[in-house]
Amino acid sequence: MKELILEMEEYASEHNVPIIEKDSIKFIMKYIKTNNIKNILEIGSAIGYSSILMASVDKDVMVTTIERDNTRYMECLKNVKKCNFEGKINVVFQDALEVNLTNVKYDMIFIDAAKGQYMKFFEKFKYFLNDNGVIITDNLKFHGHVGKSKNIESKNLRGLVEKIENYIEFLKDNKEFETNFYDVGDGISVSVKKDEKK
Ligand code: SAH
Ligand code: MG
């Protein structure tokens, strides 16, 4: 297991795969443990690094993870096999915005895919959360660009950073969820679904 994780970190750095930062995954693993989270949906598997680490927290943790890139999907399947997690991690090869989920509920949704689509992912998948479920989002600092979009010259980059800034505002204003922001790794938000009965 330890060896596989190191192997994946090496693969990611060689192939420019943006896997989660160590402090961030540690934070999420601790959150899973403390809050007794069992069913996780991840948007953006890449090579399975974060899925495998989340699934390793407890024998009862189950992960469904969605990836749209074929090379990464294949690599992810390979890694899931290597640690014998085929029964714990279900890898779906599809664009998350086209996935059809029915009759399933998750305790946690981890959004870690295309940054320009965060709000769409949030609005689509919030219906698949259990009561008091949580949506965690990665890369809210976007390597230090967030909050400084006005100074960015590249139009593409500025557009993307503006989308993340809008997403942060959207989370702050959201009445259905209570969001906390953490300055861990590349920036993480934890949005807990409010109790409707209150
Ligand atoms: N969670 C991974 C890293 C994911 S990197 C880890 O920390 O180990 C982001 C991944 O999201 C990329 O592999 C990219 O192909 C995928 N992705 C981006 N937009 C997507 C979408 N709409 N549907 C599915 N996958 C998407
Ligand atoms: Mg990330």
Side-chain angles (χ1 to χ4, degrees):
M1 178 80 183
K2 228 178 195 169
E3 217 163 286
L4 174 64
I5 294 301
L6 284 176
E7 221 177 84
M8 290 170 83
E9 286 168 358
E10 260 165 46
Y11 179 99
S13 97
E14 270 168 31
H15 296 83
N16 288 316
V17 180
I19 58 169
I20 191 164
E21 289 190 25
K22 280 194 180 139
D23 286 348
S24 310
I25 190 66
K26 269 191 202 153
F27 175 95
I28 293 173
M29 289 166 79
K30 198 170 157 198
Y31 191 92
I32 293 171
K33 206 173 184 110
T34 317
N35 294 280
N36 206 24
I37 282 165
K38 302 293 181 208
N39 272 308
I40 303 172
L41 174 69
E42 177 183 66
I43 321 293
S45 331
I47 60 171
Y49 182 77
S50 51
S51 302
I52 289 172
L53 284 168
M54 291 191 292
S56 75
V57 169
D58 187 276
K59 66 170 189 359
D60 292 332
V61 174
M62 305 286 271
V63 180
T64 294
T65 182
I66 308 172
E67 175 56 54
R68 68 175 174 191
D69 177 84
N70 189 246
T71 310
R72 289 182 182 174
Y73 165 72
M74 296 303 285
E75 198 60 31
C76 182
L77 282 184
K78 207 166 80 188
N79 290 324
V80 167
K81 273 206 184 96
K82 275 191 192 167
C83 57
N84 291 315
F85 273 2
E86 294 106 313
K88 284 168 72 69
I89 302 178
N90 173 25
V91 193
V92 179
F93 175 46
Q94 206 174 358
D95 191 303
L97 293 174
E98 283 161 19
V99 165
N100 270 316
L101 294 173
T102 42
N103 288 326
V104 276
K105 293 269 162 132
Y106 299 93
D107 305 319
M108 175 192 279
I109 296 174
F110 177 44
I111 301 179
D112 194 20
K115 293 171 191 70
Q117 300 177 322
Y118 278 178
M119 210 182 292
K120 280 190 188 155
F121 295 138
F122 192 102
E123 290 291 36
K124 170 170 179 172
F125 292 105
K126 69 179 183 188
Y127 298 104
F128 301 97
L129 270 183
N130 282 321
D131 292 345
N132 304 110
V134 63
I135 300 183
I136 294 190
T137 312
D138 188 29
N139 303 105
L140 291 182
K141 291 203 289 191
F142 198 14
H143 318 293
H145 292 305
V146 170
K148 300 177 191 151
S149 58
K150 289 190 181 64
N151 307 329
I152 298 172
E153 279 184 25
S154 152
K155 225 177 166 180
N156 278 342
L157 181 62
R158 189 170 62 233
L160 209 50
V161 173
E162 278 167 359
K163 281 200 166 156
I164 301 177
E165 291 171 352
N166 290 341
Y167 180 68
I168 292 171
E169 289 312 308
F170 158 83
L171 292 178
K172 284 181 182 163
D173 295 341
N174 200 305
K175 301 273 178 293
E176 295 169 279
F177 288 81
E178 176 80 50
T179 298
N180 283 300
F181 298 90
Y182 296 91
D183 192 6
V184 180
D186 196 27
I188 278 190
S189 62
V190 176
S191 310
V192 179
K193 194 168 139 189
K194 289 186 192 164
D195 201 333
E196 286 147 24
K197 281 152 247 144
K198 272 183 200 161

